Amino acid sequence: MDVITYSVQLLETYLPRRPFLQPLWDHLRLHYSTALRSPLFPVVLTVSAYILFCIPYLIFNLMGRRWPFIHKYKIQQNRNPTTDMILHCLVVTLTNHLFFIFPAAVAQWYWRPPIPLPEEPPSVSEVVAGVTGCLLLFDFQYFIWHMIHHKNRWLYKTFHAIHHDYMAPFSLATQCLGGWELITVGFWTTANPIILKCHLLTTWIFMVFHVYVSVEDHCGYDFPWSTSRLIPFGIFGGTVKHDVHHQKPMSNYAPHFTHWDKIFGTHADFCPSKGYLEPITPNETCRASKHMDALYDESVPPILRTAEEKNE
């Protein structure tokens, strides 16, 4: 017992008692305080993360079948984005950020001035719990918003149709949204950490991780290391379930998890027998019709309604 007591005393004396993330937080707080307290910092952080996360998938799209070791993981192998589609998404994303996101961030200076940074960081468990809680809350919010905009023809055509301009999603289609939808998504992403009283570091980690899983959902590739494969029991829908949503837009409304779609009966699985096509299959457009009147044919069960493909 004396040996154990002495060992515990040594550990308490020499091991640091500071939280695990304290060195990182101290470095950020002491050297980058002005930048971190700026209302523009979350925008710069998320936009930079978005570009970085999109680049690898864009390279995979451009290389296509020339990289068979990557292309074999593409869900819709006969549909690849064209240069025009990529440029269109870039223009839409840039326009939305210039005219909606950055002005909203600048406006925060008037109603929410910069706050002092806390001296202590969150614990690792607090970060995990905060990020998970924010994701679950966002998943519920967007599920309701998403389903309503698909059920109502006017809301769909007016606000959400631009995102369904693509039957086979690719990374840059993640933020190819109307301004109203982008503002809504940005509001929840910003408000949820405040609602759950998350630490600023937890908030920023959530924002970056949320951008990552959102890009992954739209990337069009089902890799062995995809989040949906790392999380067991089919809890996380991921890229495969969202790819099905772009083919069957009246299903899989939840952005990340699967439980709400299963509860409301809008869950749809991927059929691999038609998903992975032979290399000799000619490349088709992955552009879908903006009108999609067939989505509202009441004689067809919602789960069977599919997007019409443009012949361009």
Side-chain angles (χ1 to χ4, degrees):
M1 291 296 295
D2 291 338
V3 175
I4 296 176
T5 303
Y6 181 70
S7 299
V8 171
Q9 291 175 347
L10 282 177
L11 290 174
E12 291 179 346
T13 302
Y14 293 104
L15 284 182
R17 298 184 182 183
R18 299 194 306 170
F20 179 77
L21 296 174
Q22 191 72 58
L24 171 63
W25 182 242
D26 285 344
H27 178 75
L28 294 174
R29 183 172 57 88
L30 297 175
H31 295 87
Y32 303 101
S33 176
T34 303
L36 296 179
R37 294 172 66 229
S38 169
L40 291 178
F41 174 73
V43 178
V44 174
L45 177 68
T46 53
V47 171
S48 301
Y50 179 68
I51 294 173
L52 290 175
F53 292 145
C54 284
I55 287 175
Y57 297 118
L58 287 176
I59 294 174
F60 299 157
N61 290 144
L62 293 173
M63 296 308 298
R65 293 190 176 94
R66 285 173 287 182
W67 283 5
F69 59 96
I70 293 293
H71 191 70
K72 67 180 181 180
Y73 295 113
K74 196 172 191 311
I75 299 172
Q76 299 186 57
Q77 293 186 0
N78 66 326
R79 293 189 176 103
N80 222 34
T82 64
T83 303
D84 288 342
M85 294 177 188
I86 292 174
L87 291 176
H88 173 255
C89 286
L90 283 172
V91 170
V92 171
T93 301
L94 180 61
T95 301
N96 283 337
H97 280 80
L98 286 177
F99 290 99
F100 294 102
I101 300 301
F102 280 105
V106 172
Q108 291 187 52
W109 262 308
Y110 294 95
W111 63 272
R112 192 187 179 201
I115 59 176
L117 300 177
E119 294 186 2
E120 292 189 0
S123 66
V124 175
S125 60
E126 288 173 339
V127 171
V128 174
V131 171
T132 303
C134 289
L135 276 177
L136 287 170
L137 182 56
F138 178 88
D139 200 68
F140 170 72
Q141 293 162 334
Y142 191 77
F143 172 81
I144 299 298
W145 187 100
H146 199 184
M147 182 169 61
I148 291 174
H149 280 69
H150 270 275
K151 296 290 186 180
N152 185 282
R153 184 195 299 260
W154 181 83
L155 287 175
Y156 177 82
K157 290 185 176 181
T158 305
F159 299 112
H160 191 56
I162 186 175
H163 186 63
H164 279 274
D165 207 17
Y166 307 101
M167 282 186 65
F170 54 100
S171 58
L172 280 180
T174 307
Q175 291 193 9
C176 189
L177 310 169
W180 160 247
E181 182 169 2
L182 188 64
I183 289 175
T184 306
V185 171
F187 174 77
W188 288 328
T189 304
T190 304
N192 287 352
I194 298 175
I195 294 172
L196 298 180
K197 298 181 180 179
C198 294
H199 190 281
L200 283 174
L201 184 59
T202 303
T203 299
W204 300 331
I205 293 174
F206 158 67
M207 288 179 171
V208 172
F209 184 71
H210 188 218
V211 170
Y212 170 73
V213 292
S214 297
V215 171
E216 185 187 60
D217 283 353
H218 291 83
C219 73
Y221 292 87
D222 182 23
F223 292 115
W225 56 85
S226 295
T227 307
S228 58
R229 292 185 175 272
L230 299 178
I231 299 178
F233 311 119
I235 297 173
F236 197 88
T239 179
V240 172
K241 295 299 171 63
H242 198 74
D243 199 281
V244 172
H245 172 70
H246 276 257
Q247 297 176 61
K248 297 182 177 182
M250 304 299 277
S251 65
N252 295 354
Y253 297 125
H256 305 309
F257 298 94
T258 60
H259 55 280
W260 290 116
D261 282 301
K262 291 178 180 178
I263 291 172
F264 282 85
T266 55
H267 178 262
D269 281 313
F270 175 67
C271 181
S273 62
K274 293 185 179 180
Y276 295 91
L277 304 174
E278 297 296 328
I280 59 173
T281 303
N283 186 58
E284 302 172 5
T285 175
C286 61
R287 185 180 292 275
S289 171
K290 288 183 180 180
H291 301 291
M292 296 185 181
D293 288 330
L295 296 181
Y296 301 94
D297 183 357
E298 298 299 332
S299 65
V300 181
I303 207 70
L304 298 179
R305 299 175 194 168
T306 57
E308 299 172 354
E309 189 170 15
K310 286 183 178 178
N311 295 317
E312 295 183 351

